[in-house]
Amino acid sequence: MKYIVGIGGVTNGGKTTLTSGLLRSLPNCCVVHQDDFFKPQDQIAVGKDGFKQWDVLESLDMEAMLSTVRAWLDNPPKFARAHGVPVQPGLPDTHILVLEGFLLYSYKPLLDLYSRRYFLTVPYEECKRRRSTRSYEVPDPPGLFDGHVWPMYLKYQREMEEGGVDVVYLDGTRPRAELLHQVLEDLHNSLLNCS
């Protein structure tokens, strides 16, 4: 069985932390990070807001990401071995791919591939505080969070909801261990219902 899990949501909401926990906890589990598909900095447009448009779908090579997902779908064990993930023989033939990113549910060709979609949320103040403590390869210019990052998050969340994308909302302020336990339990129940 092939099972694709989306871990989406707000910037600094805990997506990567949750994904890392899933990778440690689930056998035959691979990950694809949306951040690995950013276009080069010189290809990122400057918007009307005066900021480089990192938080829009056009800043990502989504066709390359989709191609990577298709490579996994074609042969999960081969994909796992190529990415250094041990394939555990003797387990039920279940392979899990976690897609992690901030715009996972905005790219239509990926939408139907998910078996389960999660969406982490964090209140504005906490998100801004977390973002200010992170260091990025390309540092945030002053005003980026309020002028671009947060408005784009609200825009894409609204579009996702208006489009009827079915997600399980997760509170990113809850303790990491609780979130991981909640998702593992939900996935376990979902996988049992699939088999």
Side-chain angles (χ1 to χ4, degrees):
M1 180 189 345
K2 299 171 189 171
Y3 202 83
I4 299 179
V5 177
I7 304 292
V10 69
T11 179
N12 295 282
K15 299 180 299 294
T16 304
T17 302
L18 177 57
T19 297
S20 297
L22 293 173
L23 288 174
R24 285 190 306 274
S25 305
L26 298 168
N28 300 335
C29 183
C30 295
V31 65
V32 172
H33 297 281
Q34 191 173 37
D35 283 0
D36 292 342
F37 296 90
F38 272 114
K39 293 176 181 172
Q41 187 170 345
D42 62 355
Q43 292 181 27
I44 306 299
V46 174
K48 292 177 187 166
D49 57 14
F51 295 109
K52 283 221 174 220
Q53 303 293 291
W54 291 104
D55 291 71
V56 299
L57 205 55
E58 294 74 25
S59 69
L60 297 151
D61 186 347
M62 291 304 295
E63 287 179 21
M65 184 174 178
L66 180 61
S67 174
T68 302
V69 172
R70 286 193 175 128
W72 178 85
L73 283 167
D74 287 344
N75 192 332
K78 180 180 177 184
F79 186 94
R81 284 189 295 275
H83 289 82
V85 176
V87 177
Q88 297 182 13
L91 290 171
D93 194 24
T94 299
H95 295 273
I96 300 169
L97 179 66
V98 177
L99 301 184
E100 180 265 327
F102 66 108
L103 290 174
L104 292 180
Y105 312 130
S106 300
Y107 187 63
K108 302 284 186 254
L110 276 180
L111 265 184
D112 294 335
L113 300 179
Y114 295 102
S115 307
R116 203 79 170 133
R117 298 181 203 96
Y118 297 96
F119 193 86
L120 282 146
T121 61
V122 174
Y124 165 83
E125 289 297 338
E126 175 63 11
C127 187
K128 187 171 183 175
R129 184 194 67 74
R130 289 182 184 183
R131 177 98 180 191
S132 71
T133 64
R134 294 269 301 268
S135 60
Y136 291 94
E137 193 174 308
V138 179
D140 283 354
L144 180 72
F145 185 84
D146 288 317
H148 178 67
V149 174
W150 188 257
M152 293 311 292
Y153 158 68
L154 294 176
K155 173 185 184 270
Y156 281 112
Q157 183 182 19
R158 187 175 56 252
E159 287 174 2
M160 178 186 78
E161 290 169 351
E162 289 170 357
V165 177
D166 183 29
V167 297
V168 175
Y169 284 95
L170 301 172
D171 178 354
T173 63
R174 288 183 48 213
R176 295 171 176 181
E178 279 182 29
L179 278 174
L180 178 60
H181 178 76
Q182 177 187 346
V183 172
L184 285 171
E185 196 171 273
D186 185 61
L187 285 174
H188 180 73
N189 291 334
S190 184
L191 283 164
L192 283 176
N193 290 334
C194 288
S195 53

